[in-house]
Amino acid sequence: MSNIQKWAVPGYSCTLFGNRSPITSLGEVTVYIDFDRKQFQVNLSDGRTIGGPFKTFLSGTVYQTKGMFGFYIGTSFYLFGENASFADGYLAYPASGTADMVWVSTATAQSGPLLRSSSDNFYSPPSPTGEPVAAICYLAGTLILTPQGERIIETLEPGDEVIVRRKGIDCAETIRWVGSARQVVDKRERHDERAGYPVRLRTNALGKGMPHQDLYVTAEHCLFLEGCFVPARMLINDDTIAYDRSRNSFTYFHIELETHGIILANGVESETYLDTGNRLLFAQSAIEGPTLLHLPQRRSWEKDACAPLNVAPEFVRGLWEKFASVSTAEFARRHPISVDPALHLMRDDGTVLTPYRHDGQTYLFRLDAQPRIYHLCSRSVRPCEETGPFLDDRREFGVLVSALMLWTSTGMTALSVKHCAATQPGWHRACDATGAWTTGDAMLVLDDDAFDGLSQVILSVRLAGTKLYPAPLEEMPHLPATASGTI
């Protein structure tokens, strides 16, 4: 998987004039950071996009700057994070003369804690970790139809022409931009599309001559089917359309026209690049030159796509059933399941705590006074795994927690499940009388008062529900190859 992450968070900017400059709120922004190439891209709420390289990172650790991260270019600072008190202040240089920055309160003019700087990495990692960014492209070797016939995509350059299908009519249009990058599969990731495996559409998977030879695209790449665009991952049937797990790395390509269009890739109607804010994925992240501060205004599926993106389950399920060689029930039976949630606690240092007692839906753990932050971990499953890939719901569901209690020699303290769900990462925000679902990795922060000066307490976790979980690899039986050689 590419080492690019994104955050949807409040953003702030500050341009230094003298030694004290006010912080301006940018509202909700989307931040992309490429940790390998040291590049960033910020999609602003007004539609503008700012991006380019940076050399200095900033990271806050406590109080008003806790969880904040950012960087600066020249005298312009960009900072991000969930911190309501941060914007009500100034940034100033500290007396030390370093590249660190000091937060200064507007109300009291007292100096706050440092935003630490580093020239080679974050002083402390951004928290929480950003969402991995998926590529949307064709793999090397894909044949694109041009006025002169089919050409391998890696040979196309800006200024070349390709055949574009608009309203059923083929015409030649000029390529505006070509992007490429290298993808390395993350084998630690359980989900194939997040790991970065490409999707292979076997010859004739969508009908005769569609494709006319195996077509390889990334999971998020969209195909044009029955008047709409559909992501390839939603058509996976583990036979004619399947993830190619034999590839550990690969190079992908995309081409951009003046406007979004439909081109023919190995005979399949498919999309050109639509810049929805992920151009940072490509080595050629700028339209002109090696870098570009103000990128072209990003586009959207709603306003700029040549056809609608359709992920409605009833529509995609019809396509899936049309192209699959098995029923949805048979497809589900091919994927072993486990009823065991494998509930456990984990410390930040990776230490795993298993329950010393398990009675029905109640699990008991022994906790030491330190540390006070734990992760409630379990297996998890996504609705798209429970129902089928044609359901575009990739939320993780772990266990339904109904009660949390700390037991000491002096009594019991109930922890609010509702409060945990509302304030801590790893919980689904929706909480009712039954309890709250975790994502499979939910944070538990225990107050000092809960320990009452004791060195050890008992944590009781009571569940109100579990799921049928995908079985881990070591529990999966060997499945024979199908006639086409896939599992």
Side-chain angles (χ1 to χ4, degrees), residues 33-46:
I33 296 180
D34 185 331
F35 290 91
D36 292 333
R37 292 187 289 147
K38 301 296 188 297
Q39 298 243 355
F40 80 96
Q41 181 174 312
V42 181
N43 297 342
L44 304 176
S45 56
D46 62 4

PDB file of all heavy atoms in Angstrom, residues 33-46:
ATOM      1  N   ILE A  33      -0.968  13.424   3.183  1.00  0.00           N
ATOM      2  CA  ILE A  33       0.478  13.491   3.404  1.00  0.00           C
ATOM      3  C   ILE A  33       1.119  12.243   2.819  1.00  0.00           C
ATOM      4  O   ILE A  33       0.720  11.120   3.135  1.00  0.00           O
ATOM      5  CB  ILE A  33       0.827  13.603   4.902  1.00  0.00           C
ATOM      6  CG1 ILE A  33       0.287  14.915   5.484  1.00  0.00           C
ATOM      7  CG2 ILE A  33       2.340  13.524   5.105  1.00  0.00           C
ATOM      8  CD1 ILE A  33       0.581  15.100   6.963  1.00  0.00           C
ATOM      9  N   ASP A  34       2.094  12.455   1.974  1.00  0.00           N
ATOM     10  CA  ASP A  34       2.902  11.373   1.421  1.00  0.00           C
ATOM     11  C   ASP A  34       4.178  11.311   2.251  1.00  0.00           C
ATOM     12  O   ASP A  34       5.061  12.159   2.122  1.00  0.00           O
ATOM     13  CB  ASP A  34       3.231  11.654  -0.044  1.00  0.00           C
ATOM     14  CG  ASP A  34       3.967  10.493  -0.721  1.00  0.00           C
ATOM     15  OD1 ASP A  34       4.682   9.762  -0.005  1.00  0.00           O
ATOM     16  OD2 ASP A  34       3.840  10.337  -1.944  1.00  0.00           O
ATOM     17  N   PHE A  35       4.271  10.311   3.125  1.00  0.00           N
ATOM     18  CA  PHE A  35       5.387  10.232   4.056  1.00  0.00           C
ATOM     19  C   PHE A  35       6.681   9.810   3.368  1.00  0.00           C
ATOM     20  O   PHE A  35       7.763  10.044   3.898  1.00  0.00           O
ATOM     21  CB  PHE A  35       5.060   9.259   5.190  1.00  0.00           C
ATOM     22  CG  PHE A  35       4.013   9.775   6.130  1.00  0.00           C
ATOM     23  CD1 PHE A  35       2.673   9.503   5.928  1.00  0.00           C
ATOM     24  CD2 PHE A  35       4.369  10.567   7.208  1.00  0.00           C
ATOM     25  CE1 PHE A  35       1.710   9.986   6.795  1.00  0.00           C
ATOM     26  CE2 PHE A  35       3.418  11.058   8.076  1.00  0.00           C
ATOM     27  CZ  PHE A  35       2.082  10.766   7.872  1.00  0.00           C
ATOM     28  N   ASP A  36       6.585   9.169   2.215  1.00  0.00           N
ATOM     29  CA  ASP A  36       7.781   8.739   1.503  1.00  0.00           C
ATOM     30  C   ASP A  36       8.410   9.894   0.732  1.00  0.00           C
ATOM     31  O   ASP A  36       9.626  10.096   0.772  1.00  0.00           O
ATOM     32  CB  ASP A  36       7.455   7.591   0.551  1.00  0.00           C
ATOM     33  CG  ASP A  36       7.088   6.319   1.295  1.00  0.00           C
ATOM     34  OD1 ASP A  36       7.552   6.154   2.446  1.00  0.00           O
ATOM     35  OD2 ASP A  36       6.332   5.503   0.740  1.00  0.00           O
ATOM     36  N   ARG A  37       7.570  10.655   0.018  1.00  0.00           N
ATOM     37  CA  ARG A  37       8.096  11.721  -0.838  1.00  0.00           C
ATOM     38  C   ARG A  37       8.074  13.083  -0.162  1.00  0.00           C
ATOM     39  O   ARG A  37       8.455  14.085  -0.777  1.00  0.00           O
ATOM     40  CB  ARG A  37       7.304  11.772  -2.150  1.00  0.00           C
ATOM     41  CG  ARG A  37       7.517  10.569  -3.043  1.00  0.00           C
ATOM     42  CD  ARG A  37       6.840  10.755  -4.387  1.00  0.00           C
ATOM     43  NE  ARG A  37       5.389  10.681  -4.278  1.00  0.00           N
ATOM     44  CZ  ARG A  37       4.550  11.380  -5.041  1.00  0.00           C
ATOM     45  NH1 ARG A  37       5.024  12.221  -5.926  1.00  0.00           N
ATOM     46  NH2 ARG A  37       3.249  11.245  -4.897  1.00  0.00           N
ATOM     47  N   LYS A  38       7.601  13.156   1.106  1.00  0.00           N
ATOM     48  CA  LYS A  38       7.539  14.409   1.850  1.00  0.00           C
ATOM     49  C   LYS A  38       6.760  15.463   1.068  1.00  0.00           C
ATOM     50  O   LYS A  38       7.219  16.574   0.840  1.00  0.00           O
ATOM     51  CB  LYS A  38       8.959  14.911   2.167  1.00  0.00           C
ATOM     52  CG  LYS A  38       9.802  13.934   2.982  1.00  0.00           C
ATOM     53  CD  LYS A  38       9.221  13.713   4.360  1.00  0.00           C
ATOM     54  CE  LYS A  38      10.154  12.893   5.242  1.00  0.00           C
ATOM     55  NZ  LYS A  38      10.405  11.535   4.769  1.00  0.00           N
ATOM     56  N   GLN A  39       5.553  15.067   0.655  1.00  0.00           N
ATOM     57  CA  GLN A  39       4.679  15.981  -0.069  1.00  0.00           C
ATOM     58  C   GLN A  39       3.342  16.062   0.670  1.00  0.00           C
ATOM     59  O   GLN A  39       2.949  15.128   1.370  1.00  0.00           O
ATOM     60  CB  GLN A  39       4.439  15.481  -1.496  1.00  0.00           C
ATOM     61  CG  GLN A  39       5.679  15.385  -2.340  1.00  0.00           C
ATOM     62  CD  GLN A  39       5.648  16.309  -3.541  1.00  0.00           C
ATOM     63  OE1 GLN A  39       4.651  16.967  -3.814  1.00  0.00           O
ATOM     64  NE2 GLN A  39       6.744  16.368  -4.253  1.00  0.00           N
ATOM     65  N   PHE A  40       2.663  17.182   0.512  1.00  0.00           N
ATOM     66  CA  PHE A  40       1.360  17.330   1.133  1.00  0.00           C
ATOM     67  C   PHE A  40       0.373  17.915   0.139  1.00  0.00           C
ATOM     68  O   PHE A  40       0.741  18.522  -0.869  1.00  0.00           O
ATOM     69  CB  PHE A  40       1.433  18.231   2.370  1.00  0.00           C
ATOM     70  CG  PHE A  40       1.444  19.708   2.044  1.00  0.00           C
ATOM     71  CD1 PHE A  40       0.265  20.450   2.060  1.00  0.00           C
ATOM     72  CD2 PHE A  40       2.621  20.355   1.714  1.00  0.00           C
ATOM     73  CE1 PHE A  40       0.270  21.796   1.749  1.00  0.00           C
ATOM     74  CE2 PHE A  40       2.637  21.707   1.406  1.00  0.00           C
ATOM     75  CZ  PHE A  40       1.456  22.436   1.428  1.00  0.00           C
ATOM     76  N   GLN A  41      -0.903  17.724   0.442  1.00  0.00           N
ATOM     77  CA  GLN A  41      -1.983  18.351  -0.319  1.00  0.00           C
ATOM     78  C   GLN A  41      -3.123  18.628   0.647  1.00  0.00           C
ATOM     79  O   GLN A  41      -3.516  17.763   1.435  1.00  0.00           O
ATOM     80  CB  GLN A  41      -2.455  17.437  -1.450  1.00  0.00           C
ATOM     81  CG  GLN A  41      -3.564  18.035  -2.319  1.00  0.00           C
ATOM     82  CD  GLN A  41      -3.875  17.146  -3.502  1.00  0.00           C
ATOM     83  OE1 GLN A  41      -2.979  16.689  -4.206  1.00  0.00           O
ATOM     84  NE2 GLN A  41      -5.154  16.876  -3.718  1.00  0.00           N
ATOM     85  N   VAL A  42      -3.644  19.829   0.606  1.00  0.00           N
ATOM     86  CA  VAL A  42      -4.755  20.236   1.468  1.00  0.00           C
ATOM     87  C   VAL A  42      -5.913  20.670   0.586  1.00  0.00           C
ATOM     88  O   VAL A  42      -5.765  21.588  -0.228  1.00  0.00           O
ATOM     89  CB  VAL A  42      -4.351  21.384   2.409  1.00  0.00           C
ATOM     90  CG1 VAL A  42      -5.527  21.768   3.311  1.00  0.00           C
ATOM     91  CG2 VAL A  42      -3.147  20.999   3.251  1.00  0.00           C
ATOM     92  N   ASN A  43      -7.051  20.005   0.731  1.00  0.00           N
ATOM     93  CA  ASN A  43      -8.263  20.396   0.034  1.00  0.00           C
ATOM     94  C   ASN A  43      -9.076  21.293   0.953  1.00  0.00           C
ATOM     95  O   ASN A  43      -9.572  20.840   1.993  1.00  0.00           O
ATOM     96  CB  ASN A  43      -9.085  19.164  -0.359  1.00  0.00           C
ATOM     97  CG  ASN A  43      -8.346  18.273  -1.342  1.00  0.00           C
ATOM     98  OD1 ASN A  43      -7.387  18.699  -1.987  1.00  0.00           O
ATOM     99  ND2 ASN A  43      -8.771  17.027  -1.450  1.00  0.00           N
ATOM    100  N   LEU A  44      -9.195  22.559   0.584  1.00  0.00           N
ATOM    101  CA  LEU A  44      -9.893  23.533   1.418  1.00  0.00           C
ATOM    102  C   LEU A  44     -11.393  23.459   1.200  1.00  0.00           C
ATOM    103  O   LEU A  44     -11.874  22.955   0.182  1.00  0.00           O
ATOM    104  CB  LEU A  44      -9.383  24.943   1.119  1.00  0.00           C
ATOM    105  CG  LEU A  44      -7.864  25.147   1.283  1.00  0.00           C
ATOM    106  CD1 LEU A  44      -7.474  26.557   0.870  1.00  0.00           C
ATOM    107  CD2 LEU A  44      -7.438  24.866   2.709  1.00  0.00           C
ATOM    108  N   SER A  45     -12.141  23.969   2.164  1.00  0.00           N
ATOM    109  CA  SER A  45     -13.598  23.878   2.107  1.00  0.00           C
ATOM    110  C   SER A  45     -14.194  24.701   0.981  1.00  0.00           C
ATOM    111  O   SER A  45     -15.316  24.452   0.547  1.00  0.00           O
ATOM    112  CB  SER A  45     -14.199  24.331   3.446  1.00  0.00           C
ATOM    113  OG  SER A  45     -13.768  25.643   3.776  1.00  0.00           O
ATOM    114  N   ASP A  46     -13.452  25.711   0.466  1.00  0.00           N
ATOM    115  CA  ASP A  46     -13.975  26.537  -0.622  1.00  0.00           C
ATOM    116  C   ASP A  46     -13.653  25.971  -2.000  1.00  0.00           C
ATOM    117  O   ASP A  46     -13.902  26.622  -3.022  1.00  0.00           O
ATOM    118  CB  ASP A  46     -13.442  27.974  -0.506  1.00  0.00           C
ATOM    119  CG  ASP A  46     -11.916  28.055  -0.623  1.00  0.00           C
ATOM    120  OD1 ASP A  46     -11.269  27.005  -0.878  1.00  0.00           O
ATOM    121  OD2 ASP A  46     -11.365  29.150  -0.462  1.00  0.00           O
TER     122      ASP A  46
END
